[in-house]
Short mmCIF file of all heavy atoms in Angstrom, two decimals:
data_model
loop_
_atom_site.label_atom_id
_atom_site.label_comp_id
_atom_site.label_asym_id
_atom_site.label_seq_id
_atom_site.Cartn_x
_atom_site.Cartn_y
_atom_site.Cartn_z
N LEU A 102 -11.97 5.28 -12.46
CA LEU A 102 -11.23 4.72 -13.67
C LEU A 102 -12.20 4.81 -14.83
O LEU A 102 -13.48 4.65 -14.76
CB LEU A 102 -11.02 3.18 -13.47
CG LEU A 102 -10.21 2.49 -14.57
CD1 LEU A 102 -9.28 1.54 -14.03
CD2 LEU A 102 -11.13 1.88 -15.56
N SER A 103 -11.64 5.31 -15.83
CA SER A 103 -12.24 5.43 -17.07
C SER A 103 -11.67 4.71 -18.18
O SER A 103 -10.47 4.68 -18.40
CB SER A 103 -12.34 6.94 -17.59
OG SER A 103 -13.07 7.67 -16.64
N ALA A 104 -12.45 3.90 -18.97
CA ALA A 104 -11.95 3.08 -19.96
C ALA A 104 -12.53 3.58 -21.33
O ALA A 104 -13.69 3.85 -21.45
CB ALA A 104 -12.34 1.67 -19.78
N GLU A 105 -11.64 3.90 -22.25
CA GLU A 105 -12.03 4.35 -23.64
C GLU A 105 -11.45 3.31 -24.64
O GLU A 105 -10.24 3.20 -24.64
CB GLU A 105 -11.66 5.66 -23.94
CG GLU A 105 -11.86 6.21 -25.23
CD GLU A 105 -11.62 7.82 -25.39
OE1 GLU A 105 -11.85 8.58 -24.58
OE2 GLU A 105 -10.92 7.96 -26.46
N VAL A 106 -12.25 2.76 -25.48
CA VAL A 106 -11.74 1.72 -26.36
C VAL A 106 -12.07 2.20 -27.77
O VAL A 106 -13.29 2.62 -28.10
CB VAL A 106 -12.44 0.38 -26.20
CG1 VAL A 106 -11.96 -0.66 -27.17
CG2 VAL A 106 -12.14 -0.14 -24.81
N HIS A 107 -11.08 2.31 -28.61
CA HIS A 107 -11.25 2.60 -30.03
C HIS A 107 -11.29 1.26 -30.83
O HIS A 107 -10.22 0.62 -30.83
CB HIS A 107 -10.10 3.48 -30.53
CG HIS A 107 -10.18 4.81 -29.94
ND1 HIS A 107 -9.65 5.89 -30.48
CD2 HIS A 107 -10.54 5.34 -28.59
CE1 HIS A 107 -9.78 7.05 -29.72
NE2 HIS A 107 -10.33 6.59 -28.61
N LYS A 108 -12.43 0.86 -31.37
CA LYS A 108 -12.46 -0.42 -31.90
C LYS A 108 -13.62 -0.41 -32.94
O LYS A 108 -14.69 0.14 -32.76
CB LYS A 108 -12.78 -1.48 -30.87
CG LYS A 108 -12.71 -2.85 -31.20
CD LYS A 108 -12.86 -3.82 -29.99
CE LYS A 108 -12.69 -5.12 -30.36
NZ LYS A 108 -11.26 -5.40 -30.81
N ASP A 109 -13.41 -1.14 -34.14
CA ASP A 109 -14.38 -1.36 -35.03
C ASP A 109 -15.06 -0.07 -35.62
O ASP A 109 -16.11 0.06 -35.92
CB ASP A 109 -15.54 -2.24 -34.64
CG ASP A 109 -15.14 -3.64 -34.23
OD1 ASP A 109 -14.11 -4.07 -34.83
OD2 ASP A 109 -15.47 -4.09 -33.29
N GLY A 110 -14.22 1.06 -35.64
CA GLY A 110 -14.58 2.28 -36.17
C GLY A 110 -15.30 3.29 -35.17
O GLY A 110 -15.79 4.43 -35.63
N TYR A 111 -15.43 2.91 -33.89
CA TYR A 111 -16.11 3.55 -32.91
C TYR A 111 -15.32 3.76 -31.58
O TYR A 111 -14.51 3.03 -31.34
CB TYR A 111 -17.50 3.09 -32.60
CG TYR A 111 -18.44 3.27 -33.77
CD1 TYR A 111 -18.59 2.31 -34.68
CD2 TYR A 111 -19.17 4.42 -33.99
CE1 TYR A 111 -19.56 2.35 -35.85
CE2 TYR A 111 -20.06 4.53 -35.01
CZ TYR A 111 -20.13 3.60 -35.86
OH TYR A 111 -20.99 3.75 -37.03
N VAL A 112 -15.65 4.77 -30.84
CA VAL A 112 -15.23 4.94 -29.42
C VAL A 112 -16.30 4.33 -28.55
O VAL A 112 -17.49 4.70 -28.58
CB VAL A 112 -14.90 6.39 -29.08
CG1 VAL A 112 -14.67 6.46 -27.61
CG2 VAL A 112 -13.97 7.04 -29.91
N TYR A 113 -15.79 3.43 -27.66
CA TYR A 113 -16.64 2.86 -26.49
C TYR A 113 -16.12 3.31 -25.16
O TYR A 113 -14.86 3.40 -25.00
CB TYR A 113 -16.62 1.37 -26.63
CG TYR A 113 -17.21 0.88 -27.92
CD1 TYR A 113 -16.31 0.66 -29.03
CD2 TYR A 113 -18.53 0.60 -28.04
CE1 TYR A 113 -16.84 0.20 -30.22
CE2 TYR A 113 -19.02 0.05 -29.26
CZ TYR A 113 -18.24 -0.06 -30.32
OH TYR A 113 -18.73 -0.58 -31.49
N ARG A 114 -17.05 3.66 -24.34
CA ARG A 114 -16.54 4.34 -23.02
C ARG A 114 -17.41 3.65 -21.90
O ARG A 114 -18.48 3.33 -21.98
CB ARG A 114 -16.81 5.90 -22.86
CG ARG A 114 -15.96 6.65 -23.82
CD ARG A 114 -16.15 8.16 -23.56
NE ARG A 114 -15.26 8.93 -24.44
CZ ARG A 114 -15.48 9.22 -25.69
NH1 ARG A 114 -16.74 8.93 -26.27
NH2 ARG A 114 -14.70 10.03 -26.43
N GLN A 115 -16.72 3.55 -20.71
CA GLN A 115 -17.35 3.21 -19.50
C GLN A 115 -16.58 3.63 -18.26
O GLN A 115 -15.23 3.72 -18.30
CB GLN A 115 -17.40 1.59 -19.38
CG GLN A 115 -18.38 1.21 -18.21
CD GLN A 115 -18.77 -0.23 -18.32
OE1 GLN A 115 -18.01 -1.03 -18.69
NE2 GLN A 115 -19.94 -0.48 -17.83
N ASP A 116 -17.25 4.17 -17.27
CA ASP A 116 -16.62 4.86 -16.15
C ASP A 116 -16.89 3.99 -14.88
O ASP A 116 -17.96 3.35 -14.74
CB ASP A 116 -17.19 6.29 -15.94
CG ASP A 116 -16.81 7.11 -17.04
OD1 ASP A 116 -15.65 7.09 -17.46
OD2 ASP A 116 -17.78 7.71 -17.67
N TYR A 117 -16.00 3.99 -13.89
CA TYR A 117 -16.12 3.18 -12.73
C TYR A 117 -15.67 4.01 -11.44
O TYR A 117 -14.94 5.00 -11.63
CB TYR A 117 -15.22 1.97 -12.81
CG TYR A 117 -15.35 1.03 -13.87
CD1 TYR A 117 -14.83 1.38 -15.20
CD2 TYR A 117 -16.12 -0.04 -13.72
CE1 TYR A 117 -15.11 0.53 -16.26
CE2 TYR A 117 -16.44 -0.87 -14.72
CZ TYR A 117 -15.91 -0.57 -16.00
OH TYR A 117 -16.09 -1.48 -17.10
N GLU A 118 -16.27 3.76 -10.34
CA GLU A 118 -15.77 4.29 -9.18
C GLU A 118 -15.51 3.21 -8.07
O GLU A 118 -16.42 2.31 -7.82
CB GLU A 118 -16.98 5.14 -8.56
CG GLU A 118 -16.59 5.89 -7.33
CD GLU A 118 -17.73 7.00 -7.02
OE1 GLU A 118 -17.94 7.99 -7.67
OE2 GLU A 118 -18.47 6.78 -6.01
N ARG A 119 -14.21 3.11 -7.70
CA ARG A 119 -13.86 2.06 -6.80
C ARG A 119 -14.41 0.62 -7.24
O ARG A 119 -14.68 -0.18 -6.56
CB ARG A 119 -14.26 2.35 -5.39
CG ARG A 119 -13.63 3.44 -4.71
CD ARG A 119 -14.02 3.79 -3.30
NE ARG A 119 -13.12 4.79 -2.59
CZ ARG A 119 -13.08 6.12 -2.64
NH1 ARG A 119 -14.13 6.63 -3.37
NH2 ARG A 119 -12.22 6.72 -2.06
N GLY A 120 -14.05 0.50 -8.49
CA GLY A 120 -14.37 -0.90 -9.13
C GLY A 120 -15.80 -1.09 -9.55
O GLY A 120 -16.12 -2.14 -10.15
N VAL A 121 -16.85 -0.23 -9.27
CA VAL A 121 -18.07 -0.34 -9.61
C VAL A 121 -18.51 0.48 -10.89
O VAL A 121 -18.24 1.68 -10.81
CB VAL A 121 -19.00 0.05 -8.30
CG1 VAL A 121 -20.53 0.06 -8.73
CG2 VAL A 121 -18.67 -0.83 -7.13
N PRO A 122 -19.16 -0.10 -11.91
CA PRO A 122 -19.47 0.68 -12.93
C PRO A 122 -20.39 1.66 -12.74
O PRO A 122 -21.44 1.50 -11.92
CB PRO A 122 -20.21 -0.45 -13.86
CG PRO A 122 -19.66 -1.75 -13.33
CD PRO A 122 -19.47 -1.55 -11.94
N LEU A 123 -20.31 2.95 -13.26
CA LEU A 123 -21.24 3.94 -13.08
C LEU A 123 -22.22 3.97 -14.17
O LEU A 123 -23.27 4.82 -14.04
CB LEU A 123 -20.42 5.38 -13.07
CG LEU A 123 -19.37 5.56 -11.79
CD1 LEU A 123 -18.65 6.77 -11.90
CD2 LEU A 123 -20.19 5.40 -10.46
N ASN A 124 -21.98 3.43 -15.18
CA ASN A 124 -22.85 3.43 -16.39
C ASN A 124 -22.67 2.25 -17.26
O ASN A 124 -21.49 1.63 -17.08
CB ASN A 124 -22.56 4.77 -17.25
CG ASN A 124 -21.09 4.87 -17.68
OD1 ASN A 124 -20.20 4.97 -16.81
ND2 ASN A 124 -20.79 4.92 -18.99
N ASP A 125 -23.55 1.92 -18.15
CA ASP A 125 -23.24 0.92 -19.13
C ASP A 125 -22.32 1.35 -20.16
O ASP A 125 -22.16 2.63 -20.36
CB ASP A 125 -24.63 0.53 -19.84
CG ASP A 125 -25.58 -0.15 -18.88
OD1 ASP A 125 -25.11 -0.99 -17.97
OD2 ASP A 125 -26.71 -0.04 -19.14
N ILE A 126 -21.71 0.52 -20.95
CA ILE A 126 -20.82 0.92 -22.09
C ILE A 126 -21.50 1.67 -23.03
O ILE A 126 -22.74 1.40 -23.23
CB ILE A 126 -20.14 -0.31 -22.52
CG1 ILE A 126 -18.90 0.02 -23.49
CG2 ILE A 126 -21.10 -1.14 -23.25
CD1 ILE A 126 -18.05 -1.10 -23.97
N THR A 127 -21.01 2.86 -23.53
CA THR A 127 -21.61 3.62 -24.50
C THR A 127 -20.78 3.68 -25.69
O THR A 127 -19.55 3.59 -25.67
CB THR A 127 -21.86 5.09 -23.95
OG1 THR A 127 -20.47 5.69 -23.72
CG2 THR A 127 -22.68 5.15 -22.78
N LYS A 128 -21.58 3.65 -26.82
CA LYS A 128 -20.92 3.74 -28.22
C LYS A 128 -20.94 5.18 -28.63
O LYS A 128 -22.02 5.72 -28.66
CB LYS A 128 -21.68 2.81 -29.11
CG LYS A 128 -21.13 2.79 -30.62
CD LYS A 128 -21.76 1.76 -31.46
CE LYS A 128 -21.27 1.75 -32.81
NZ LYS A 128 -22.16 0.86 -33.65
N GLY A 129 -19.77 5.73 -28.92
CA GLY A 129 -19.73 7.24 -29.24
C GLY A 129 -19.32 7.37 -30.69
O GLY A 129 -19.76 6.62 -31.57
N GLU A 130 -18.61 8.39 -30.89
CA GLU A 130 -18.22 8.87 -32.26
C GLU A 130 -17.41 7.97 -33.02
O GLU A 130 -16.79 7.06 -32.49
CB GLU A 130 -17.50 10.26 -32.12
CG GLU A 130 -16.17 10.23 -31.41
CD GLU A 130 -16.11 10.44 -29.99
OE1 GLU A 130 -17.19 10.30 -29.31
OE2 GLU A 130 -14.97 10.53 -29.24
N LYS A 131 -17.40 8.15 -34.36
CA LYS A 131 -16.55 7.47 -35.15
C LYS A 131 -15.16 7.80 -35.05
O LYS A 131 -14.90 8.85 -34.88
CB LYS A 131 -17.07 7.57 -36.67
CG LYS A 131 -18.33 6.75 -36.89
CD LYS A 131 -18.69 6.96 -38.44
CE LYS A 131 -19.81 6.03 -38.70
NZ LYS A 131 -20.05 5.64 -40.14
N VAL A 132 -14.23 6.79 -35.25
CA VAL A 132 -12.78 7.03 -35.25
C VAL A 132 -12.11 6.09 -36.35
O VAL A 132 -12.70 5.03 -36.74
CB VAL A 132 -12.06 6.65 -33.88
CG1 VAL A 132 -12.62 7.68 -32.73
CG2 VAL A 132 -12.42 5.22 -33.39
N ASP A 133 -10.88 6.50 -36.63
CA ASP A 133 -10.07 5.69 -37.72
C ASP A 133 -9.17 4.89 -37.10
O ASP A 133 -8.40 4.11 -37.76
CB ASP A 133 -9.47 6.66 -38.67
CG ASP A 133 -10.56 7.39 -39.49
OD1 ASP A 133 -11.60 6.81 -39.74
OD2 ASP A 133 -10.22 8.61 -39.87
N ASP A 134 -8.90 5.08 -35.67
CA ASP A 134 -7.80 4.29 -35.08
C ASP A 134 -8.32 3.14 -34.23
O ASP A 134 -9.44 2.95 -34.20
CB ASP A 134 -6.90 5.14 -34.34
CG ASP A 134 -7.62 5.87 -33.20
OD1 ASP A 134 -8.86 5.82 -33.16
OD2 ASP A 134 -6.99 6.47 -32.22
N SER A 135 -7.45 2.40 -33.56
CA SER A 135 -7.80 1.41 -32.67
C SER A 135 -6.82 1.50 -31.36
O SER A 135 -5.81 2.13 -31.46
CB SER A 135 -7.73 0.00 -33.21
OG SER A 135 -6.37 -0.27 -33.51
N GLY A 136 -7.35 0.89 -30.21
CA GLY A 136 -6.50 0.96 -29.16
C GLY A 136 -7.36 1.09 -27.84
O GLY A 136 -8.58 1.16 -27.97
N THR A 137 -6.64 1.08 -26.73
CA THR A 137 -7.31 1.36 -25.39
C THR A 137 -6.65 2.44 -24.63
O THR A 137 -5.49 2.51 -24.54
CB THR A 137 -7.20 -0.03 -24.62
OG1 THR A 137 -7.80 -1.03 -25.48
CG2 THR A 137 -7.83 -0.05 -23.30
N ILE A 138 -7.49 3.23 -23.94
CA ILE A 138 -7.02 4.28 -23.06
C ILE A 138 -7.73 4.08 -21.70
O ILE A 138 -8.88 4.02 -21.59
CB ILE A 138 -7.43 5.66 -23.53
CG1 ILE A 138 -7.00 5.82 -25.03
CG2 ILE A 138 -7.01 6.72 -22.74
CD1 ILE A 138 -7.61 7.09 -25.68
N ILE A 139 -6.85 3.84 -20.69
CA ILE A 139 -7.28 3.68 -19.33
C ILE A 139 -6.76 4.82 -18.46
O ILE A 139 -5.54 5.05 -18.44
CB ILE A 139 -6.90 2.32 -18.66
CG1 ILE A 139 -7.31 1.08 -19.48
CG2 ILE A 139 -7.26 2.24 -17.30
CD1 ILE A 139 -8.70 0.76 -19.45
N THR A 140 -7.72 5.48 -17.86
CA THR A 140 -7.38 6.64 -16.99
C THR A 140 -7.75 6.24 -15.59
O THR A 140 -8.94 5.92 -15.41
CB THR A 140 -7.96 8.01 -17.44
OG1 THR A 140 -7.60 8.20 -18.77
CG2 THR A 140 -7.52 9.04 -16.58
N PHE A 141 -6.92 6.35 -14.53
CA PHE A 141 -7.22 5.91 -13.28
C PHE A 141 -6.58 6.85 -12.24
O PHE A 141 -5.51 7.50 -12.50
CB PHE A 141 -6.85 4.47 -13.00
CG PHE A 141 -5.30 4.08 -12.94
CD1 PHE A 141 -4.70 4.18 -11.75
CD2 PHE A 141 -4.71 3.87 -14.14
CE1 PHE A 141 -3.28 3.99 -11.77
CE2 PHE A 141 -3.34 3.62 -14.21
CZ PHE A 141 -2.65 3.66 -13.02
N TYR A 142 -7.23 6.76 -11.08
CA TYR A 142 -6.75 7.56 -9.82
C TYR A 142 -6.56 6.69 -8.72
O TYR A 142 -7.65 6.22 -8.13
CB TYR A 142 -7.84 8.72 -9.64
CG TYR A 142 -8.02 9.74 -10.79
CD1 TYR A 142 -8.71 9.38 -11.75
CD2 TYR A 142 -7.29 10.91 -10.66
CE1 TYR A 142 -8.75 10.26 -12.94
CE2 TYR A 142 -7.47 11.76 -11.72
CZ TYR A 142 -8.12 11.55 -12.88
OH TYR A 142 -8.20 12.34 -13.85
N PRO A 143 -5.35 6.54 -8.31
CA PRO A 143 -4.97 5.64 -7.12
C PRO A 143 -5.87 6.18 -5.87
O PRO A 143 -5.86 7.32 -5.65
CB PRO A 143 -3.57 5.66 -6.90
CG PRO A 143 -3.05 6.10 -8.20
CD PRO A 143 -4.02 6.97 -8.89
N ASP A 144 -6.36 5.13 -5.13
CA ASP A 144 -7.20 5.62 -4.00
C ASP A 144 -6.37 5.86 -2.82
O ASP A 144 -5.67 5.07 -2.18
CB ASP A 144 -8.15 4.32 -3.65
CG ASP A 144 -9.20 4.63 -2.61
OD1 ASP A 144 -8.90 5.70 -1.78
OD2 ASP A 144 -10.14 3.97 -2.55
N PRO A 145 -6.35 7.10 -2.26
CA PRO A 145 -5.52 7.49 -1.14
C PRO A 145 -6.07 6.81 0.22
O PRO A 145 -5.19 6.92 1.10
CB PRO A 145 -5.65 9.05 -1.04
CG PRO A 145 -6.97 9.31 -1.75
CD PRO A 145 -7.20 8.23 -2.72
N THR A 146 -7.14 6.34 0.19
CA THR A 146 -7.60 5.54 1.42
C THR A 146 -6.90 4.22 1.50
O THR A 146 -6.91 3.63 2.67
CB THR A 146 -9.13 5.49 1.59
OG1 THR A 146 -9.54 4.59 0.56
CG2 THR A 146 -9.79 6.88 1.47
N ILE A 147 -6.55 3.69 0.34
CA ILE A 147 -5.75 2.39 0.32
C ILE A 147 -4.16 2.67 0.43
O ILE A 147 -3.48 2.03 1.12
CB ILE A 147 -6.19 1.67 -0.87
CG1 ILE A 147 -7.61 1.24 -0.86
CG2 ILE A 147 -5.26 0.37 -1.08
CD1 ILE A 147 -8.27 0.69 -1.98
N PHE A 148 -3.70 3.66 -0.46
CA PHE A 148 -2.35 3.89 -0.55
C PHE A 148 -2.06 5.01 0.34
O PHE A 148 -1.93 6.19 -0.16
CB PHE A 148 -1.95 4.17 -2.09
CG PHE A 148 -2.25 3.02 -3.09
CD1 PHE A 148 -3.28 2.97 -3.75
CD2 PHE A 148 -1.38 1.95 -2.99
CE1 PHE A 148 -3.55 1.93 -4.63
CE2 PHE A 148 -1.56 0.89 -3.72
CZ PHE A 148 -2.66 0.86 -4.54
N LYS A 149 -2.09 4.88 1.65
CA LYS A 149 -2.05 5.82 2.67
C LYS A 149 -0.68 6.63 2.66
O LYS A 149 -0.55 7.76 3.00
CB LYS A 149 -2.35 5.34 3.98
CG LYS A 149 -3.81 4.87 4.01
CD LYS A 149 -4.21 4.27 5.35
CE LYS A 149 -5.65 3.80 5.30
NZ LYS A 149 -6.42 4.09 6.28
N GLU A 150 0.41 5.86 2.25
CA GLU A 150 1.78 6.55 2.22
C GLU A 150 1.82 7.66 1.22
O GLU A 150 2.28 8.72 1.44
CB GLU A 150 2.79 5.43 1.96
CG GLU A 150 4.20 5.98 2.04
CD GLU A 150 5.18 4.81 1.82
OE1 GLU A 150 5.06 3.71 2.37
OE2 GLU A 150 6.05 4.99 0.89
N THR A 151 1.40 7.32 -0.02
CA THR A 151 1.47 8.32 -1.08
C THR A 151 0.70 7.68 -2.26
O THR A 151 0.57 6.53 -2.51
CB THR A 151 2.91 8.69 -1.55
OG1 THR A 151 2.83 9.78 -2.49
CG2 THR A 151 3.61 7.43 -2.18
N VAL A 152 0.08 8.76 -3.05
CA VAL A 152 -0.53 8.40 -4.39
C VAL A 152 0.25 9.19 -5.49
O VAL A 152 -0.19 9.04 -6.68
CB VAL A 152 -1.95 8.61 -4.48
CG1 VAL A 152 -2.77 7.65 -3.58
CG2 VAL A 152 -2.36 10.05 -4.14
N GLU A 153 1.31 9.82 -5.04
CA GLU A 153 2.08 10.66 -6.07
C GLU A 153 2.85 9.68 -7.05
O GLU A 153 3.49 8.83 -6.47
CB GLU A 153 2.95 11.60 -5.37
CG GLU A 153 3.52 12.50 -6.32
CD GLU A 153 4.17 13.81 -5.61
OE1 GLU A 153 3.77 13.99 -4.58
OE2 GLU A 153 5.25 14.17 -6.24
N ILE A 154 2.82 10.02 -8.28
CA ILE A 154 3.67 9.25 -9.18
C ILE A 154 4.94 9.70 -9.47
O ILE A 154 5.17 10.88 -9.68
CB ILE A 154 2.82 9.01 -10.59
CG1 ILE A 154 1.48 8.60 -10.36
CG2 ILE A 154 3.46 8.27 -11.68
CD1 ILE A 154 1.32 7.22 -9.77
N ASP A 155 5.96 8.81 -9.47
CA ASP A 155 7.42 9.25 -9.63
C ASP A 155 7.71 9.09 -11.21
O ASP A 155 7.79 8.09 -11.79
CB ASP A 155 8.25 8.26 -8.90
CG ASP A 155 9.69 8.57 -9.02
OD1 ASP A 155 10.19 9.17 -9.91
OD2 ASP A 155 10.54 8.14 -8.07
N TYR A 156 7.87 10.21 -11.69
CA TYR A 156 8.21 10.49 -13.19
C TYR A 156 9.31 9.53 -13.60
O TYR A 156 9.29 8.77 -14.53
CB TYR A 156 8.46 11.83 -13.57
CG TYR A 156 8.91 12.08 -14.98
CD1 TYR A 156 8.02 11.97 -16.10
CD2 TYR A 156 10.25 12.32 -15.29
CE1 TYR A 156 8.47 12.24 -17.39
CE2 TYR A 156 10.76 12.48 -16.50
CZ TYR A 156 9.90 12.49 -17.57
OH TYR A 156 10.37 12.63 -18.87
N GLN A 157 10.51 9.60 -12.84
CA GLN A 157 11.66 8.76 -13.17
C GLN A 157 11.37 7.24 -13.17
O GLN A 157 11.85 6.60 -13.99
CB GLN A 157 12.89 9.14 -12.29
CG GLN A 157 14.15 8.53 -12.79
CD GLN A 157 14.45 9.14 -14.23
OE1 GLN A 157 14.44 10.27 -14.50
NE2 GLN A 157 14.78 8.16 -15.11
N TRP A 158 10.55 6.87 -12.24
CA TRP A 158 10.14 5.41 -12.25
C TRP A 158 9.39 5.01 -13.53
O TRP A 158 9.71 4.04 -14.10
CB TRP A 158 9.17 5.11 -11.02
CG TRP A 158 8.82 3.70 -10.93
CD1 TRP A 158 9.41 2.77 -10.22
CD2 TRP A 158 7.80 2.93 -11.69
NE1 TRP A 158 8.76 1.58 -10.44
CE2 TRP A 158 7.72 1.64 -11.34
CE3 TRP A 158 6.81 3.39 -12.62
CZ2 TRP A 158 6.92 0.65 -11.74
CZ3 TRP A 158 5.88 2.46 -13.18
CH2 TRP A 158 6.09 1.19 -12.69
N VAL A 159 8.49 5.83 -13.98
CA VAL A 159 7.84 5.69 -15.27
C VAL A 159 8.66 5.54 -16.51
O VAL A 159 8.67 4.78 -17.36
CB VAL A 159 6.60 6.67 -15.44
CG1 VAL A 159 5.88 6.41 -16.80
CG2 VAL A 159 5.61 6.53 -14.31
N VAL A 160 9.66 6.57 -16.54
CA VAL A 160 10.66 6.61 -17.53
C VAL A 160 11.42 5.31 -17.57
O VAL A 160 11.64 4.73 -18.66
CB VAL A 160 11.58 7.81 -17.55
CG1 VAL A 160 12.87 7.77 -18.41
CG2 VAL A 160 10.90 9.07 -17.70
N ASP A 161 11.97 4.91 -16.48
CA ASP A 161 12.83 3.72 -16.34
C ASP A 161 12.02 2.43 -16.63
O ASP A 161 12.44 1.56 -17.50
CB ASP A 161 13.29 3.48 -14.85
CG ASP A 161 14.32 4.58 -14.53
OD1 ASP A 161 14.88 5.21 -15.34
OD2 ASP A 161 14.67 4.66 -13.29
N TYR A 162 10.72 2.36 -16.32
CA TYR A 162 9.80 1.22 -16.59
C TYR A 162 9.68 1.19 -18.11
O TYR A 162 9.84 0.12 -18.71
CB TYR A 162 8.51 1.36 -15.84
CG TYR A 162 7.53 0.46 -16.49
CD1 TYR A 162 7.50 -0.95 -16.09
CD2 TYR A 162 6.51 0.98 -17.33
CE1 TYR A 162 6.49 -1.76 -16.73
CE2 TYR A 162 5.58 0.00 -17.88
CZ TYR A 162 5.66 -1.25 -17.59
OH TYR A 162 4.69 -2.15 -18.06
N LEU A 163 9.42 2.41 -18.72
CA LEU A 163 9.20 2.34 -20.24
C LEU A 163 10.40 2.02 -21.00
O LEU A 163 10.41 1.36 -22.00
CB LEU A 163 8.46 3.61 -20.60
CG LEU A 163 7.13 3.85 -20.25
CD1 LEU A 163 6.58 5.32 -20.70
CD2 LEU A 163 6.28 2.82 -20.71
N ARG A 164 11.58 2.44 -20.50
CA ARG A 164 12.83 2.13 -21.05
C ARG A 164 13.06 0.66 -21.07
O ARG A 164 13.47 0.02 -22.26
CB ARG A 164 13.99 2.78 -20.37
CG ARG A 164 14.56 4.00 -20.77
CD ARG A 164 15.81 4.34 -20.34
NE ARG A 164 15.94 5.80 -20.22
CZ ARG A 164 16.36 6.53 -19.26
NH1 ARG A 164 16.59 6.05 -18.07
NH2 ARG A 164 16.45 7.85 -19.43
N HIS A 165 12.79 -0.04 -20.05
CA HIS A 165 12.91 -1.46 -19.97
C HIS A 165 11.88 -2.19 -20.93
O HIS A 165 12.29 -3.15 -21.67
CB HIS A 165 12.64 -1.98 -18.59
CG HIS A 165 13.78 -1.58 -17.68
ND1 HIS A 165 13.48 -1.06 -16.45
CD2 HIS A 165 15.08 -1.68 -17.64
CE1 HIS A 165 14.63 -0.68 -15.75
NE2 HIS A 165 15.63 -1.19 -16.49
N GLN A 166 10.71 -1.72 -20.93
CA GLN A 166 9.77 -2.33 -21.83
C GLN A 166 10.12 -2.22 -23.33
O GLN A 166 10.00 -3.07 -24.12
CB GLN A 166 8.33 -1.79 -21.49
CG GLN A 166 7.86 -2.18 -20.26
CD GLN A 166 7.97 -3.64 -19.85
OE1 GLN A 166 7.53 -4.50 -20.62
NE2 GLN A 166 8.53 -3.92 -18.69
N SER A 167 10.65 -1.00 -23.72
CA SER A 167 10.85 -0.80 -25.02
C SER A 167 12.18 -1.49 -25.48
O SER A 167 12.34 -2.15 -26.64
CB SER A 167 11.10 0.71 -25.40
OG SER A 167 12.07 1.26 -24.61
#
Side-chain angles (χ1 to χ4, degrees):
L102 181 144
S103 296
E105 181 177 310
V106 177
H107 294 208
K108 189 170 188 67
D109 302 325
Y111 290 92
V112 175
Y113 297 88
R114 291 184 179 88
Q115 191 167 31
D116 299 306
Y117 301 83
E118 188 174 285
R119 292 186 163 85
V121 177
L123 295 176
N124 54 298
D125 290 332
I126 191 169
T127 59
K128 182 178 179 181
E130 65 273 10
K131 287 188 172 196
V132 291
D133 293 329
D134 63 348
S135 65
T137 301
I138 305 166
I139 301 290
T140 305
F141 66 93
Y142 294 80
D144 188 340
T146 65
I147 295 168
F148 300 102
K149 295 181 186 222
E150 185 180 309
T151 186
V152 291
E153 189 169 329
I154 304 302
D155 181 335
Y156 171 78
Q157 191 58 51
W158 182 94
V159 177
V160 168
D161 292 343
Y162 166 75
L163 290 179
R164 261 193 208 131
H165 291 126
Q166 294 309 311
S167 59

